[in-house]
Amino acid sequence: MDTPQQPLDIALAHAQRLSGKHLYAGTLQAALSGKTFPVASPATRLQIGTAADGNADDVAAAVGAAAAAQPEWAAMSPRARGKILCQAAAQLTQHTEEIATLLALETGKAIRTESRVEANVLADCFEFYGGLGSELKGETIPFAPNMLVFTQREPIGVVAAILPWNAPLMLMAFKIAPALVAGNTVVVKSAEEAPLSTLFVVELLNRCLPAGVVNILSGFGPSCGGPLVADRRIGKVTFTGSVDTGKVIAHAAAERLIPTTLELGGKSPMIVMEDADLDRTVAGAVAGMRFTRQGQSCTAASRMLVHRSLRDQFVERMAEKVNAMRMGDPLDETTDIGTIISTGQYDRVRSYLDLGRQIPDVQTLQLSAMPEAPALKNGLFIQPTVFVGVDNDNRLAREEIFGPVTCVIPFDTYEQAITMANDSDYGLAATIWTSNLQRALDATRRLQAGFVQVNQNIVAQPGLSYGGIKQSGLGKEASMEAMLDHFTQKKTVLISRD
Ligand code: NAI
Ligand code: MG
């Protein structure tokens, strides 16, 4: 009798099978140039497969497939499309373990605390949007007695979705599920650091969706993402990533006058008032900083504004909790914290660590322990780091580090805390921790951010509009409004009764 295969072997087999491939027109396709680039595990640094190195020719073929499939997809009833998305959700749910293992393998995100959670949110998001087909409504307008005037929502056409690597499956779902239920077809461009898990998911989706409705390319930003945004058949771009790339995409979209949704990161404040429940706040700080994801989150609580009277206690208790977390093999069920995604990000985060260590009067806490297993000796692990006593004007407090690094910034009055919280180029998320309801309500009005929470810090969820202001981007994701506002266009129709 055969012994059952281990999840790792199954994931490695998928990585091999999907190596060097895009998926468009319903089938896996090699890059037209024949070129590939290596995909390695950031924990072991061993190669697990390759990805197709897409260029303008691949873009033309994939967009062609999406454009060809779009009229028929749009002609289906919205609820019929929704039912297909629900079938897709069931398909994803059946394969959650394989998806999660492949994600952990290629991104270094720990299986128990991150990858499995993300694989479940992915399926949940398809189910959520699958139920929203009948919400694609218009209005009737009482304009004149001799006319029937109404609006109707129509799909935009072919949507380009450009992905980052930090939560590639969840963020892909936030983009493609609403686009699809609204009657658009999609071409995804995966992040070069996480091409295989997204390709596997698109392959599973293609078991339920008609050929050409959802397509995915891998490749680099300028050579694959660039031609995708510039293709004249693309009607909308939805992007998550850095501010700089977001601006490049916004410029390219402006040339063609097409809409964009841009989710561009943050430097999110967490305000801890003197009357906060300390146990709850410390647990919230550890979760909110997304230490389990090595801080590679756009909503990470990377500026902790803490009332001076609580600072020492808060820091001590947070250090205790993070020290109890285990950094190690992302595929090990006992691991809490995995790795940084790539050598580029690893060097970038370490440059901020060097910067922090040089600031006079700032205390540096390096927490948890580096893994000792020989197989992980070259892994991209970085100890969670807390810089205590940072000034809100310092680069550490102003720039998105996108690593397991947070700053504790003391304050004396509530007014100071609000002023510092808002003194940032970003405006994605913010939290306040207090037992004073009036103050909490006041803060929810005054904090300049798109996603504000009181006494908790949970991640984005299907059903809740998510998206930033200021340099954090444009538009919302994850909600019904996001589908209506960003993946449909409204037509006004006037019918004469005379
Ligand atoms: P990036 O913004 O350069 O890459 C994101 C995606 O955009 C990738 O798929 C990439 O191939 C694509 N891209 C890059 N240049 C492009 C172009 N000219 N045209 C079309 N597509 C293009 O982000 P990167 O380099 O991976 O990370 C750098 C920093 O960005 C991180 O340290 C972090 O601060 C921030 N970031 C923020 C994220 C968020 O969740 N908001 C996610 C990822 C990165
Ligand atoms: Mg980049």
Side-chain angles (χ1 to χ4, degrees), residues 176-193:
I176 71 180
L180 293 174
V181 77
N184 304 282
T185 56
V186 180
V187 179
V188 179
K189 207 293 274 172
S190 57
E192 38 279 58
E193 298 83 356

Side-chain angles (χ1 to χ4, degrees), residues 162-166 171 189-193 219-222 225-226 229 239-242 245 248-249 263-265 298 345 348 400-402:
I162 299 184
L163 304 185
W165 41 262
N166 60 321
L171 296 171
K189 207 293 274 172
S190 57
E192 38 279 58
E193 298 83 356
F220 293 88
V229 177
F239 167 79
T240 299
S242 63
T245 302
V248 170
I249 287 173
E263 204 274 88
L264 308 178
C298 36
Q345 288 296 120
R348 193 186 134 108
E400 185 176 51
I401 300 174
F402 229 63

Side-chain angles (χ1 to χ4, degrees), residues 9-341:
D9 296 331
I10 298 174
L12 281 169
H14 282 307
Q16 283 302 314
R17 186 175 59 75
L18 297 168
S19 273
K21 297 292 201 290
H22 305 300
L23 194 158
Y24 56 85
T27 42
L28 292 170
Q29 317 256 4
L32 293 169
S33 68
K35 287 191 185 152
T36 62
F37 58 92
V39 182
S41 148
T44 61
R45 312 288 297 283
L46 298 175
Q47 187 169 332
I48 59 164
T50 64
D53 186 355
N55 65 16
D57 294 333
D58 303 293
V59 166
V63 177
Q70 203 268 330
E72 205 174 318
W73 180 243
M76 284 175 77
S77 83
R79 284 205 62 208
R81 285 196 299 266
K83 280 185 183 158
I84 295 180
L85 291 202
C86 289
Q87 286 159 10
Q91 182 71 234
L92 296 172
T93 303
Q94 270 176 30
H95 293 273
T96 339
E97 273 313 294
E98 288 159 77
I99 296 169
T101 311
L102 189 53
L103 180 66
L105 191 62
E106 83 174 341
T107 64
K109 286 167 48 143
I111 184 87
R112 189 190 87 252
T113 56
E114 287 289 334
S115 290
R116 190 173 291 129
V117 178
E118 187 175 340
N120 282 311
V121 176
L122 164 80
D124 187 37
C125 186
F126 275 85
E127 195 177 278
F128 170 73
Y129 279 110
L132 290 183
S134 57
E135 296 302 322
L136 290 152
K137 298 168 188 162
E139 302 105 6
T140 54
I141 297 139
F143 176 69
N146 63 335
M147 282 183 226
L148 171 62
V149 179
F150 60 90
T151 60
Q152 63 193 28
R153 292 193 179 272
E154 298 178 351
I156 295 171
V158 183
V159 169
I162 299 184
L163 304 185
W165 41 262
N166 60 321
L169 305 182
M170 179 180 85
L171 296 171
M172 179 168 76
F174 283 178
K175 296 179 187 323
I176 71 180
L180 293 174
V181 77
N184 304 282
T185 56
V186 180
V187 179
V188 179
K189 207 293 274 172
S190 57
E192 38 279 58
E193 298 83 356
L196 296 175
S197 52
T198 47
L199 175 58
F200 180 41
V201 168
V202 169
E203 187 186 42
L204 292 170
L205 295 177
N206 270 269
R207 292 186 183 173
C208 303
L209 292 152
V213 169
V214 56
N215 311 278
I216 184 166
L217 301 169
S218 51
F220 293 88
S223 52
C224 186
L228 179 60
V229 177
D231 191 300
R232 62 182 175 75
R233 295 164 294 182
I234 294 294
K236 151 120 207 168
V237 183
T238 166
F239 167 79
T240 299
S242 63
V243 176
D244 288 348
T245 302
K247 288 180 181 170
V248 170
I249 287 173
H251 276 286
E255 281 300 322
R256 302 194 38 249
L257 279 180
I258 59 168
T260 54
T261 306
L262 304 171
E263 204 274 88
L264 308 178
K267 194 73 193 176
S268 302
M270 162 173 188
I271 300 178
V272 181
M273 295 307 302
E274 66 272 35
D275 55 8
D277 171 337
L278 203 58
D279 281 344
R280 184 178 178 151
T281 306
V282 168
V286 174
M289 186 45 218
R290 319 273 184 253
F291 280 121
T292 53
R293 203 193 293 169
Q294 290 279 43
Q296 300 172 128
S297 161
C298 36
T299 53
S302 52
R303 284 191 298 147
M304 299 187 174
L305 308 172
V306 182
H307 192 272
R308 204 177 297 277
S309 65
L310 284 184
R311 184 186 63 176
D312 294 347
Q313 255 182 304
F314 173 83
V315 168
E316 194 181 312
R317 308 256 299 260
M318 179 163 66
E320 210 174 282
K321 268 203 178 323
V322 181
N323 275 329
M325 294 169 83
R326 212 171 146 262
M327 206 173 0
D329 181 354
L331 292 165
D332 183 334
E333 292 287 339
T334 64
T335 294
D336 298 302
I337 303 178
T339 69
I340 297 288
I341 185 80

Side-chain angles (χ1 to χ4, degrees), residues 310-445:
L310 284 184
R311 184 186 63 176
D312 294 347
Q313 255 182 304
F314 173 83
V315 168
E316 194 181 312
R317 308 256 299 260
M318 179 163 66
E320 210 174 282
K321 268 203 178 323
V322 181
N323 275 329
M325 294 169 83
R326 212 171 146 262
M327 206 173 0
D329 181 354
L331 292 165
D332 183 334
E333 292 287 339
T334 64
T335 294
D336 298 302
I337 303 178
T339 69
I340 297 288
I341 185 80
S342 64
T343 50
Q345 288 296 120
Y346 181 82
D347 293 343
R348 193 186 134 108
V349 174
R350 286 174 55 109
S351 74
Y352 282 102
L353 296 181
D354 292 342
L355 181 75
R357 287 194 202 97
Q358 286 159 21
I359 309 173
D361 302 327
V362 166
Q363 186 194 354
T364 309
L365 302 178
Q366 290 203 288
L367 306 171
S368 190
M370 291 294 276
E372 282 172 2
L376 305 176
K377 70 177 189 307
N378 295 321
L380 303 176
F381 295 93
I382 292 185
Q383 281 179 283
T385 304
V386 181
F387 288 117
V388 185
V390 175
D391 192 290
N392 195 48
D393 289 330
N394 194 277
R395 279 183 56 206
L396 287 180
R398 303 208 79 85
E399 298 174 11
E400 185 176 51
I401 300 174
F402 229 63
V405 184
T406 191
C407 308
V408 172
I409 305 169
F411 69 84
D412 296 297
T413 67
Y414 171 65
E415 288 300 323
Q416 270 177 357
I418 293 284
T419 304
M420 280 199 283
N422 289 339
D423 180 12
S424 171
D425 293 337
Y426 290 103
L428 186 57
T431 63
I432 180 162
W433 303 73
T434 176
S435 50
N436 180 331
L437 182 61
Q438 243 175 343
R439 206 172 244 171
L441 287 173
D442 184 69
T444 61
R445 275 194 299 274

